[in-house]
C-alpha cells in the first residue's frame, strides 16, 4: 500500500480550486495523503475509471465539466439524494467491495453546511434557475422541509418539472421580483463572469431574509451587493464551494475539516 490519494478530473482542469483546498486540509490535519488534478477527456473517462478501480490507494475523485453526465453511467451505485438530483460531482472508491465505484453529489450538502454554519433555518424559499445547481438546491430544500417554494425561471414548464421531481408543492414566477420569502438562492449562471446580471428586485424580502448566490466568480455579485445594501444576510458561492469540498474530503480520507482555518483558506482562494 502506498500513500492514499484522491483527485479532481475534467477537461480543462488547470482552473480547479480543488487541489488548493484539499492540500490545505491534508497539511492542517497532518495526514499522509495526496490530492491531484488530472486532465481526463470524455473519451478517456471509461478507461480512466477502470484503471483506478484496481488502484487500492485511490480514494476517489471530484468530477468537473464536461464529465459529470458521462460519469453518471459508469459508477456502480449512488445514494438516493444523488439519484434525485440527477447529477454527480464525486466518485468514491470502495476497493474492498465488488463494483466499488459509488457516485455522490456534495453540492446540496455544501449549501446545507453553509446555511447551518450561519445558524440559518429558513421556512419559505425561492430558487432562481432550473439547471443542475438548482436541482442540488432543491434537494436541500426538500431535506429542510421548506413549507413554501417558488421557482423563478424563464420556463414555467421546467419549473413545474423541478417541483414534481422533488415532490414539493410550489409555484412558478418569471424573472423580475423576488417574492416575500426568507431565503432566496440564485442557482443560475446569471451574474457570473461573462454572463448577464440577474435582473431581480429584492424589495419584497423581509428584514432578516437570507440571500445565497452560488456564483463565486465574481465573489461579490450585484445580487449580494444589493442584498447587503438592504441589510440582508448573505452567503456567497465560495462558502458553498468550500463546504461541498469539505464533505468530499471527509468521504475520501475519513477526516472532517469542519471550520478548520476557514478564514485562512478563504484568503488563499481569493488571493
Amino acid at each position: 500500500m502506498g500513500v492514499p490519494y484522491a483527485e479532481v478530473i475534467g477537461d480543462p482542469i488547470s482552473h480547479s480550486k480543488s487541489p488548493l483546498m484539499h492540500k490545505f486540509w491534508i497539511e492542517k490535519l497532518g495526514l499522509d495523503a495526496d490530492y491531484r488534478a488530472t486532465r481526463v477527456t470524455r473519451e478517456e473517462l471509461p478507461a480512466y475509471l477502470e484503471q483506478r478501480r484496481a488502484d487500492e490507494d485511490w480514494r476517489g475523485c471530484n468530477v468537473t465539466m464536461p464529465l459529470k453526465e458521462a460519469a453518471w453511467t459508469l459508477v456502480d451505485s449512488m445514494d438516493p439524494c444523488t439519484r434525485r438530483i440527477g447529477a454527480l460531482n464525486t466518485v468514491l472508491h470502495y476497493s474492498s467491495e465488488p463494483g466499488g465505484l459509488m457516485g455522490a453529489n456534495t453540492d446540496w450538502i455544501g449549501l446545507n453546511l453553509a446555511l447551518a454554519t450561519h445558524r440559518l433555518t429558513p421556512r419559505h424559499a425561492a430558487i432562481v434557475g432550473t439547471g443542475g445547481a438548482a436541482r442540488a438546491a432543491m434537494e436541500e430544500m426538500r431535506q429542510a422541509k421548506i413549507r413554501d417554494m417558488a421557482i423563478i425561471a424563464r420556463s414555467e414548464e421546467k419549473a413545474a418539472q423541478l417541483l414534481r421531481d422533488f415532490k414539493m408543492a410550489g409555484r412558478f414566477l418569471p424573472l423580475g421580483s423576488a417574492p416575500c420569502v426568507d431565503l432566496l438562492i440564485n442557482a443560475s449562471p446569471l451574474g457570473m463572469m461573462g454572463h448577464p446580471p440577474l435582473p431581480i428586485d429584492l424589495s419584497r424580502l423581509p428584514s432578516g431574509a437570507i440571500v445565497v448566490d452560488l456564483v463565486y466568480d465574481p465573489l461579490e455579485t450585484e445580487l449580494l451587493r444589493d442584498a447587503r445594501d438592504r441589510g440582508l444576510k448573505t452567503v456567497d458561492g465560495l462558502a458553498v464551494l468550500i463546504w461541498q469540498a469539505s464533505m468530499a474530503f471527509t468521504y475520501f480520507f475519513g477526516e472532517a475539516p469542519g471550520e478548520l482555518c476557514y478564514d485562512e483558506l478563504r484568503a488563499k482562494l481569493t488571493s
Side-chain angles (χ1 to χ4, degrees):
M1 293 286 288
V3 174
Y5 74 98
E7 57 195 331
V8 58
I9 62 171
D11 179 30
I13 200 60
S14 59
H15 67 288
S16 175
K17 297 181 184 296
S18 294
L20 192 157
M21 291 189 285
H22 287 264
K23 285 178 179 290
F24 176 87
W25 290 319
I26 287 171
E27 180 183 349
K28 292 296 182 182
L29 289 166
L31 301 182
D32 184 20
D34 192 18
Y35 189 91
R36 308 167 187 175
T38 304
R39 180 177 174 270
V40 178
T41 66
R42 195 192 303 267
E43 293 72 27
E44 294 167 339
L45 184 61
Y48 159 86
L49 288 176
E50 281 306 308
Q51 183 184 46
R52 291 298 192 266
R53 281 179 189 272
D55 187 345
E56 293 185 1
D57 297 325
W58 185 68
R59 297 294 182 264
C61 61
N62 296 116
V63 183
T64 66
M65 299 301 290
L67 304 180
K68 291 185 177 184
E69 185 175 330
W72 177 272
T73 65
L74 297 171
V75 297
D76 304 304
S77 62
M78 61 188 71
D79 62 87
C81 296
T82 302
R83 195 172 295 280
R84 264 191 304 274
I85 293 167
L88 60 83
N89 67 351
T90 306
V91 176
L92 307 173
H93 185 214
Y94 299 105
S95 57
S96 61
E97 300 177 12
L101 296 186
M102 177 178 172
N105 188 303
T106 61
D107 286 334
W108 78 268
I109 304 173
L111 178 57
N112 173 280
L113 294 174
L115 292 173
T117 301
H118 292 275
R119 294 176 176 80
L120 304 176
T121 54
R123 286 293 172 261
H124 308 276
I127 291 176
V128 181
T130 56
R135 295 187 67 86
M138 282 292 285
E139 176 61 20
E140 166 58 11
M141 299 301 96
R142 191 191 72 84
Q143 298 260 356
K145 296 180 171 57
I146 293 295
R147 298 169 185 166
D148 176 43
M149 195 72 232
I151 307 297
I152 302 171
R154 292 192 175 95
S155 169
E156 184 172 4
E157 182 180 346
K158 288 182 179 179
Q161 186 62 55
L162 193 61
L163 290 165
R164 284 196 296 270
D165 287 348
F166 288 86
K167 296 180 172 58
M168 294 182 69
R171 62 196 190 280
F172 161 77
L173 293 172
L175 285 170
S177 179
C180 183
V181 293
D182 51 11
L183 172 62
L184 173 72
I185 302 170
N186 177 32
S188 79
L190 294 174
M192 186 185 297
M193 190 71 70
H195 291 262
L198 173 61
I200 194 162
D201 177 10
L202 304 182
S203 61
R204 295 187 62 200
L205 295 184
S207 60
I210 311 143
V211 176
V212 179
D213 200 334
L214 299 183
V215 169
Y216 58 86
D217 184 16
L219 184 57
E220 183 174 65
T221 59
E222 289 186 25
L223 174 66
L224 292 182
R225 193 176 305 116
D226 185 13
R228 290 193 188 107
D229 288 346
R230 295 172 183 274
L232 303 176
K233 298 173 184 175
T234 61
V235 174
D236 61 40
L238 186 58
V240 179
L241 179 73
I242 290 172
W243 281 108
Q244 69 81 24
S246 172
M247 192 66 238
F249 186 93
T250 304
Y251 286 151
F252 294 145
F253 302 115
E255 295 273 356
E259 295 187 60
L260 179 65
C261 302
Y262 176 85
D263 292 337
E264 183 183 345
L265 177 55
R266 277 189 67 102
K268 283 181 175 291
L269 289 167
T270 55
S271 62

